[in-house]
Amino acid sequence: MIFETIAKTGHEEVVFCHNKDAGLKAIIAIHNTVLGPALGGLRMWPYKTEQEAVNDVLRLSRGMTYKNAVAGLNLGGGKGVIIGDPSRDKSEALFRAFGRFVNSLNGRYITAEDVGIDVNDMEYVFRETEYVTGVHQVHGGSGDPSPFTAFGTLQGLMAALQFKHGNEDVGKYSYAVQGAGHVGSEFIKLLREQGAKVFVTDINKDLVQRCVDELGCEAVGLDEIYDVDADVYSPCALGGTLNAQTIDRIKAKIICGAANNQLATDAIGDELTRRGVLYAPDYAVNAGGVMNISLEIDGYNRERAMRMMRQIYYNLGRIFEISKTENVPTYLAADRLAEERISIIGRIKLPHMGNGGTRFQGRMRGQ
Ligand code: NAD
């Protein structure tokens, strides 16, 4: 069953990690290393079944291949999951045991923080392996990626405005921003610096109030955000908010935000295209975080990171062009861009393999 699934998803390697003394049950999935070592976060989650954990790690690692490829990084896609409750099951031994498994892969997989993991956990992983990013800044880590992700989201937005309206005058348009957390609040700051009108909502009322008091935003209700008459809808909270219930309500002609997995289904992406709504694919827009941590691998430099974020503007521009010339929705155009890059770089690196030594079946979304 598991081998059948892996054969379908085209993964190179899937490693099951078990350490009884540490209570470790983890899986590392390496999807594709044609462009470079597989970089992807470690997630800790109380999966109800082992199959659920397998499915998640396979899906997420494949997503990282696409994300890293579109971002222009010399990195492949991988992911790790630990089966456990982050509020109860964390220990030094658990993360050190996981670190030893990462180390045993000799750099084919590089781990990072994801849901349920923080910088302290990464410190333990770091004691056992150098193939880890997202450690504390004192060890050369890059710190909180959110400002970079927000700046990258702004680059994606500018590319979308350019494609849709032929200008990048961010301040001329209005925005409905859903989520004023780490990325959302930084993104709002950038919008307001250019004088844009910003509507904001968040389940955390204090965060909304701060945006009103300190940044001059207009607060709207949690559900009301979908009805706001704004030029751009910017999901910066949860995934799946573009769905059958919301797309009739959203008036914006551009969708550009940092949240992962914004499209509930591919059909929603098709429908947005049919309606003339420009959807900036989430994993291309929010690549700032992964770009930032990728720089830790050869020695982190903040200026270089900021310059790298600018690439998101060009990546989105290419995605929109592919979408137009090949007459496909933007979410598919992003996948094509990733697949083309892996294929061509693969042929350069491994000319004898003809197809770049990689194989794609079906498509992915998000990470
Ligand atoms: P965060 O937890 O700091 O912020 C998310 C905010 O959304 C919180 O303030 C939360 O209260 C709010 N929220 C949750 N449910 C909501 C709802 N139904 N309506 C309105 N608000 C709601 O997380 P973040 O780091 O800012 O990340 C935001 C999104 O961007 C996530 O989807 C994340 O996966 C994605 N992302 C983040 C980064 C990064 O660098 N932090 C990188 C890539 C992608």
Side-chain angles (χ1 to χ4, degrees):
M1 173 70 184
I2 284 175
F3 284 105
E4 264 174 43
T5 314
I6 295 170
K8 280 196 202 116
T9 53
H11 280 72
E12 290 178 12
E13 188 174 352
V14 180
V15 181
F16 289 81
C17 318
H18 179 240
N19 185 302
K20 192 163 159 268
D21 298 319
L24 177 74
K25 283 188 199 166
I27 311 167
I28 297 170
I30 296 176
H31 177 250
N32 189 290
T33 57
V34 169
L35 296 175
L39 173 72
L42 168 64
R43 179 169 289 197
M44 184 167 183
W45 194 255
Y47 294 102
K48 289 200 184 69
T49 63
E50 288 168 8
Q51 186 64 47
E52 206 183 289
V54 170
N55 293 345
D56 211 30
V57 78
L58 293 178
R59 178 181 67 85
L60 295 167
S61 53
R62 193 162 191 272
M64 287 310 296
T65 295
Y66 281 75
K67 183 171 196 156
N68 293 340
V70 164
L73 301 174
N74 294 323
L75 291 166
K79 201 87 183 183
V81 296
I82 293 180
I83 302 173
D85 184 340
S87 64
R88 228 185 37 207
D89 302 331
K90 286 187 177 183
S91 68
E92 175 184 353
L94 183 88
F95 290 108
R96 290 185 70 161
F98 180 77
R100 294 183 76 82
F101 277 103
V102 172
N103 207 47
S104 73
L105 294 166
N106 293 316
R108 273 170 55 71
Y109 169 64
I110 301 171
T111 196
E113 271 178 53
D114 193 54
V115 176
I117 301 293
D118 62 34
V119 70
N120 301 315
D121 308 327
M122 281 301 163
E123 295 282 312
Y124 291 131
V125 176
F126 183 56
R127 289 192 195 173
E128 301 295 337
T129 184
E130 60 180 294
Y131 302 117
V132 52
T133 59
V135 291
H136 195 274
Q137 275 157 307
V138 295
H139 302 300
S142 53
D144 179 9
S146 309
F148 296 91
T149 305
F151 186 68
T153 304
L154 183 75
Q155 305 310 308
L157 170 69
M158 283 159 62
L161 292 174
Q162 181 60 252
F163 187 77
K164 189 88 185 158
H165 302 302
N167 68 72
E168 292 166 22
D169 200 348
V170 171
K172 212 167 89 178
Y173 300 97
S174 56
Y175 301 84
V177 182
Q178 183 176 38
H182 288 92
V183 182
S185 59
E186 292 290 331
F187 182 56
I188 290 169
K189 262 187 223 159
L190 297 171
L191 297 175
R192 290 291 300 142
E193 273 168 17
Q194 301 204 40
K197 168 87 190 156
V198 177
F199 300 91
V200 63
T201 193
D202 196 295
I203 44 176
N204 182 334
K205 292 201 172 68
D206 294 340
L207 292 177
V208 175
Q209 200 52 47
R210 203 178 299 161
C211 290
V212 172
D213 296 342
E214 295 172 17
L215 299 171
C217 298
E218 186 170 322
V220 297
L222 280 179
D223 191 51
E224 228 183 305
I225 195 80
Y226 301 112
D227 303 314
V228 168
D229 196 1
D231 300 306
V232 178
Y233 165 57
S234 183
C236 293
L238 311 168
T241 60
L242 297 168
N243 56 50
Q245 284 72 49
T246 58
I247 61 163
D248 284 338
R249 295 168 60 188
I250 295 169
K251 295 177 190 71
K253 288 291 180 203
I254 292 177
I255 295 170
C256 180
N260 278 313
N261 301 320
Q262 295 169 23
L263 296 173
T265 62
D266 289 353
I268 296 289
D270 301 339
E271 182 57 24
L272 289 172
T273 308
R274 211 185 53 73
R275 295 179 183 197
V277 176
L278 184 64
Y279 166 66
D282 45 17
Y283 74 83
V285 170
N286 69 20
V290 76
M291 285 178 162
N292 198 45
I293 58 168
S294 76
L295 289 174
E296 288 184 26
I297 298 166
D298 0 290
Y300 187 67
N301 174 314
R302 202 180 161 88
E303 281 70 47
R304 219 175 127 203
M306 271 310 187
R307 280 171 63 92
M308 206 174 187
M309 300 306 134
R310 184 71 185 142
Q311 185 62 38
I312 293 177
Y313 175 89
Y314 300 104
N315 296 342
L316 266 295
R318 285 183 68 194
I319 290 167
F320 297 144
E321 278 310 320
I322 294 173
S323 164
K324 188 172 150 189
T325 51
E326 299 185 18
N327 197 23
V328 291
T330 50
Y331 73 88
L332 275 181
D335 291 359
R336 284 194 187 173
L337 181 62
E339 289 167 8
E340 273 165 24
R341 181 162 179 255
I342 294 168
S343 174
I344 185 86
I345 302 298
R347 282 204 295 275
I348 291 167
K349 284 188 174 179
L350 307 163
H352 58 284
M353 302 218 35
N355 68 349
T358 188
R359 188 160 49 95
F360 292 97
Q361 286 146 348
R363 63 165 301 278
M364 57 62 61
R365 196 183 50 252
Q367 60 84 45

